[in-house]
Structure formats: structure tokens, C-alpha cells
Amino acid sequence: MRSNSVQTGSNPTFTESARRTQIMQCAIEVLAESGYSGASLAEIARRAGISKSVVLYYFSGKDDLLSSVVFDVYGRAGQAIAEALSHETSPGEKIAAYVRTNLHFLEEHSAEIRAVVEIVSNARGADGTHSFVPQGEDPVLAHLEKLLREGQRSGDFRNFDAHYLAIIIRSAIDTASGRLVVDPSFDLAAYTRELLSVVELATGTHRTEDSS
Amino acid sequence: MRSNSVQTGSNPTFTESARRTQIMQCAIEVLAESGYSGASLAEIARRAGISKSVVLYYFSGKDDLLSSVVFDVYGRAGQAIAEALSHETSPGEKIAAYVRTNLHFLEEHSAEIRAVVEIVSNARGADGTHSFVPQGEDPVLAHLEKLLREGQRSGDFRNFDAHYLAIIIRSAIDTASGRLVVDPSFDLAAYTRELLSVVELATGTHRTEDSS
DNA sequence: ACACTGTTTGACCGCATGGTCTAATCGTAG
DNA sequence: CTACGATTAGACCATGCGGTCAAACAGTGT
């Protein structure tokens, strides 16, 4: 009889999927407002107006809940970005769309992103190592890096180190979620404008010949 | 008789200052390796080979220990940066020295910086708000912003939004500590080179006239 | 020998955590 | 009505946390 805890059966009940999304949503709110250490099962349950046991009925444990949140948000963000990039053709436009879409998603889903950041940067396994920070290749970074390299191969971009420029651009994107939550005067539109112009200058879009 | 807990008397004993720095050093190591939630008083004491009570004898509580670490590292970093900037004159050189010194300090004190980041981004008061993230004006950001504005006033820099460019540059600096600890192939020298060239392009150093 | 201060220990406390378990509830099919 | 699976609440547990406390130890001046 392993029919006790639900663990994502093939045909989820209406109650099941509703509860799962509700619990995940509450977890996101608590994580965004109170941080990782404030996001206890009891607090999440209290927020949802349910008993702590219900959370553990639909998720096999806290790890399961948190990784579900990460994968859910992560997936939706990736989808939005992929969709936006498919409309662009030139490397310069692709990079610009990448930055714009990332920050736009952030604007509409700041709590989700904040929650994911909180989880990714704090969740650790029993051995003490990060649970979500990729060990070797970071696919997110690799994707951006690929876009940069394509622009270099086509001659649209100047000769920079694609790997490290990708890290710089990602850091500028990732820092925005923290600003949004802590600084009410933070103007995401202005930030997007500034970052876009920095990226354009850094990639050297429209430049083909070497001046020196 | 308030002579019980030490609380930084005017003339600290040899043992006292030695113990305080030892405990702070161990706290830094634990924070850098095991993260904020792994840095319990018991673990820090175990690492130092002393009893948990000793930690609480020299520090009035965990908050006191952590803020001591923050102020200590913060102060030494600020001093190193101020010293380096005093040697430069032109805005472009100052910004470059700022970036270079920040990343250089990071290279030699990666555990300290990692520990401070861990504390600053996780420590929260009883009300749930961050304890160390400045509410209104961030002095670190304001300093960099001032350097950028000076370059604009002197005509060395182009017309960017100093506030948001400062945030972008800081984010590129702050992200490096995380990379250093998680990615062994991260080449700080190459990263510094790339960031310096990005900053140079973004500020538009050596540019005086508007082309359009 | 004594007292005094600085230092250290280990037992202990109250509390919050993630998680388990049992029993009750609800809706529906027979 | 009954039976059954899905769902929920609440009592409970072991563990680890930050912090307190009384007692012991070490050195030093008298």
C-alpha cells in the first residue's frame, strides 16, 4: 500500500492539482517576503489556511516542495524567453530580446523569481553543498554564451570573451530581483534601458572592422 | 556588576582579542563553506575547538558575532579601495582602479567576502526585514555612483544613467565571489580584464563629442 | 594561604523545526 | 446505510537551535 502520499500520480485529482499550486504559491509568497529561513512548513501552511500535514500529504517533503517551485518557475521563464527569441533573427536583436524578456518576466513575476533565488542560493544537501547550483556547466549561462558566440561568428559582435561577458550580463539580470524587492524607487524600465545600452556597447553591435 | 560578558572593554586582554579574531575567523570559514544556515554557534565553536559558551562570552550573541564579521571585512575592503583610488586622478582611471581593487580584494579574501554576502543576504531581524541591507541610500552604491558622475561632469564619460550603471557594475563585482567558490575553473584575472573593457565601453571613456 | 579577576566548561532551558502517525471527516458508488 | 478512498487536523517526536547558569579552573598580587 504505497497509496498514502500522493507523489504525482498519473491522473491527479482536481483537489490535488489545486492544492499543489496553492501550496506552491504560498511557499513563493513566504519565501519572497520572509526569506529562506522564514519559510518553514508551518508558516507556509498557516499562509494557506491549512494544516502542516496537508503540505506533506501533497509533497513528499520540504525538498520536494522547494524543487517543485524551482522547476515550475524556471520552466515558465525559459518558455517565455524561448518564445521571445524565436521572433528575432539578428544576433544583436536576439541579445536585446533576451535581456528585455528576462527583465520583463521579472517585473511580472518578481515574487516567483525572488523565491527561486532564495531557494537556489540557500538550499543545501546533507553534505553541505548547494542543491540547485549546477556543478559543471550552467545551462542558463551556456545559452547566453551561445547567443554571444553566434554574434561573433557572424561578425556582428566584437572580440570579447563570451563566457565572462555572459556572466556579467547574467549578474546584471539576476541582481534586479533583489533590487525590486528592497528598493521601491527602483525603476525597472530605466534599468532595462541602461542595461540594453551597456550590452550594445559591450558587444559592439554594428561594428565589423578593427580600427587599430 | 556588569563585568560578566566582555563587550569590548577599553583595554582588551591579550586572550580577549586573540579569541575574538579566532572566533570571527572560524565563523567566516563555516559561513563560506556551509552557508548561513550551517553556521550555528555550536559548529563555529566546534571548528575553533572551544565550547559554545566561549563564543557567547566574547560576543553578546550571534547577531553581535555576525555584525562584527561584517564590519571587520567591510572596513578592511573599504580601506583597500580608498587607498587604491587615492593614487588615481582621471575619472577613467579611478573607475578602473575601483573595479580592479574590488576584484583583487576578492581574490585574496574570497572566504571573507563570501561570508559577508551570506550574512548580509540572509540575516533578518525579528520583524523579518533584512538586518544589513540598507533601507534608503546604499553608501557603497552611492560611492561608485559619485565616481561615475564626476567623470560625466568632467566630460570624460558619455551620458548614461549613473545610478543604474552603478548597479550594473556592482552586480558584476558582487557575483564574482559566488563564482569563485562554486566554479574552480573561474579565472578572476580574465574576468577582471573583461569587466574592465565592458566598463570602459559603457562609460565611453575618452569620448567627448556627441556623434548624432 | 587567600582573594580576586579572567576564562572555560557542560548541564540545562524554551522554542521552532521537519516529519510521522492516528483518527476523524468528506464525497461518492454500491 | 455502508464501505471505501481521498483528504484533513492535531497530537506527537527527535533534533538542533540560541542562550543562560552555576561551578570550576588558572593566574596573579597580597
Side-chain angles (χ1 to χ4, degrees):
Chain A
M1 284 82 172
R2 84 276 244 185
S3 67
N4 189 3
S5 76
V6 170
Q7 48 207 24
T8 328
S10 48
N11 43 355
T13 317
F14 171 79
T15 323
E16 173 173 349
S17 57
R19 275 275 190 247
R20 281 182 69 98
T21 62
Q22 178 207 17
I23 292 169
M24 285 170 60
Q25 185 54 42
C26 289
I28 286 169
E29 290 173 13
V30 174
L31 280 160
E33 289 175 20
S34 307
Y36 188 80
S37 52
S40 65
L41 291 184
E43 180 58 29
I44 293 169
R46 203 188 58 78
R47 184 77 145 236
I50 59 182
S51 162
K52 199 180 54 172
S53 309
V54 179
V55 177
L56 291 157
Y57 178 72
Y58 291 104
F59 297 90
S60 66
K62 199 185 187 185
D63 295 349
D64 185 27
L65 207 205
L66 297 186
S67 54
S68 295
V69 169
V70 170
F71 285 130
D72 180 67
V73 176
Y74 201 83
R76 281 188 284 129
Q79 210 168 327
I81 291 163
E83 207 275 337
L85 285 214
S86 70
H87 296 338
E88 309 295 339
T89 53
S90 88
E93 284 166 339
K94 283 204 172 195
I95 293 285
Y98 180 90
V99 170
R100 222 181 290 113
T101 312
N102 265 278
L103 293 178
H104 183 67
F105 189 91
L106 191 63
E107 186 167 33
E108 291 186 320
H109 307 273
S110 72
E112 282 104 314
I113 295 292
R114 190 65 227 154
V116 168
V117 169
E118 210 71 34
I119 296 169
V120 166
S121 60
N122 280 306
R124 297 183 181 235
D127 56 355
T129 61
H130 283 102
S131 305
F132 291 95
V133 176
Q135 306 284 53
E137 217 16 37
D138 182 346
V140 173
L141 212 55
H143 178 216
L144 176 53
E145 209 174 314
K146 198 189 70 177
L147 294 180
L148 291 172
R149 274 194 233 280
E150 284 173 0
Q152 290 184 312
R153 213 175 310 126
S154 71
D156 292 35
F157 293 168
R158 61 175 258 273
N159 233 27
F160 43 75
D161 185 321
H163 180 62
Y164 292 113
L165 181 55
I167 292 177
I168 292 171
I169 295 175
R170 272 286 356 149
S171 80
I173 293 171
D174 294 334
T175 207
S177 72
R179 289 281 155 191
L180 259 187
V181 79
V182 102
D183 179 7
S185 74
F186 184 75
D187 180 352
L188 219 165
Y191 185 72
T192 304
R193 245 177 285 125
E194 191 59 40
L195 181 55
L196 281 173
S197 90
V198 167
V199 167
E200 195 177 313
L201 289 166
T203 54
T205 314
H206 308 129
R207 194 67 70 77
T208 302
E209 301 186 345
D210 216 351
S211 60
S212 72
Chain B
M1 282 86 171
R2 85 278 242 179
S3 66
N4 189 3
S5 75
V6 170
Q7 49 208 23
T8 328
S10 49
N11 42 355
T13 316
F14 170 79
T15 321
E16 173 172 350
S17 56
R19 275 274 189 247
R20 283 182 69 98
T21 62
Q22 178 208 16
I23 292 169
M24 285 170 61
Q25 184 55 41
C26 290
I28 286 168
E29 290 172 14
V30 175
L31 281 160
E33 290 174 18
S34 308
Y36 188 79
S37 51
S40 65
L41 291 185
E43 180 57 30
I44 293 169
R46 202 187 60 78
R47 169 93 54 148
I50 58 181
S51 162
K52 198 181 56 173
S53 308
V54 179
V55 177
L56 292 157
Y57 178 71
Y58 291 104
F59 296 90
S60 66
K62 198 186 186 184
D63 295 350
D64 184 28
L65 207 204
L66 297 186
S67 55
S68 295
V69 168
V70 170
F71 286 129
D72 179 67
V73 175
Y74 201 83
R76 280 186 285 130
Q79 209 168 328
I81 292 162
E83 207 274 339
L85 284 212
S86 70
H87 297 339
E88 309 295 338
T89 53
S90 88
E93 285 164 340
K94 284 205 173 194
I95 293 286
Y98 180 90
V99 170
R100 222 181 290 114
T101 312
N102 265 277
L103 293 178
H104 183 67
F105 189 90
L106 190 63
E107 185 166 34
E108 291 186 321
H109 307 274
S110 72
E112 281 103 314
I113 296 292
R114 190 64 226 156
V116 168
V117 169
E118 210 71 35
I119 295 168
V120 166
S121 59
N122 281 306
R124 299 184 180 235
D127 55 355
T129 62
H130 284 103
S131 305
F132 291 96
V133 177
Q135 306 284 51
E137 222 9 44
D138 181 347
V140 173
L141 212 54
H143 178 216
L144 175 53
E145 209 175 316
K146 200 189 70 181
L147 293 180
L148 290 172
R149 274 195 232 281
E150 284 173 0
Q152 291 185 312
R153 213 175 309 126
S154 70
D156 292 34
F157 292 168
R158 62 176 257 274
N159 230 27
F160 44 75
D161 186 320
H163 181 61
Y164 292 112
L165 181 56
I167 292 178
I168 292 172
I169 296 175
R170 272 288 352 149
S171 79
I173 293 171
D174 294 334
T175 206
S177 72
R179 290 280 155 191
L180 258 187
V181 80
V182 102
D183 180 6
S185 73
F186 184 75
D187 181 353
L188 219 164
Y191 185 73
T192 304
R193 244 178 285 128
E194 191 59 41
L195 181 55
L196 280 173
S197 90
V198 167
V199 167
E200 194 178 312
L201 289 165
T203 53
T205 316
H206 308 130
R207 195 68 71 79
T208 301
E209 301 185 348
D210 216 351
S211 61
S212 71

